[in-house]
């Protein structure tokens, strides 16, 4: 089992970066919009991810439900 981020659904909120217990979510890009909103382009590092499933199982974890089983 592995997990990945569906970039078409991802809101780029960055919440997953702070929530993963293994720090497996890495930020590939960080953009600050003119209104101050910060957008994070994230992905799950398969070498760090332990497939614990927390990010997938809890609906509150990702507001966009963009984390999927790979
Ligand atoms: S928590 Fe979900 S919507 Fe937010 S950056 Fe992570 S994958 Fe994207
Ligand atoms: S499955 Fe677990 S270790 Fe992997 S990205 Fe999700 S919360 Fe992090």
């Amino acid at each position: 089992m592995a997990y990945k981020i569906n970039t078409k659904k991802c809101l780029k909120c960055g919440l997953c970066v702070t929530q993963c217990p293994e720090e497996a979510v890495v930020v590939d890009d960080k953009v600050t919009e003119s209104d101050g909103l910060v957008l994070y382009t994230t992905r799950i590092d398969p070498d760090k991810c332990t497939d614990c499933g927390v990010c997938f199982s809890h609906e509150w974890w990702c507001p966009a439900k963009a984390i999927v089983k790979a």
Side-chain angles (χ1 to χ4, degrees):
M1 188 72 68
Y3 296 89
K4 67 176 183 179
I5 294 172
N6 181 339
T7 54
K8 289 181 179 173
K9 293 177 73 177
C10 177
L11 302 171
K12 300 191 175 185
C13 67
L15 281 177
C16 50
V17 180
T18 59
Q19 295 298 309
C20 173
E22 305 296 335
E23 297 182 356
V25 183
V26 294
V27 178
D28 279 340
D29 195 22
K30 180 181 171 184
V31 174
T32 303
E33 302 277 273
S34 57
D35 62 359
L37 180 69
V38 181
L39 299 176
Y40 300 86
T41 299
T42 58
R43 65 180 163 83
I44 295 173
D45 182 343
D47 292 330
K48 286 187 175 179
C49 176
T50 58
D51 293 346
C52 71
V54 171
C55 57
F56 180 80
S57 305
H58 298 283
E59 291 188 354
W60 48 263
W61 214 88
C62 170
K65 296 185 176 69
I67 297 174
V68 297
K69 291 178 182 176

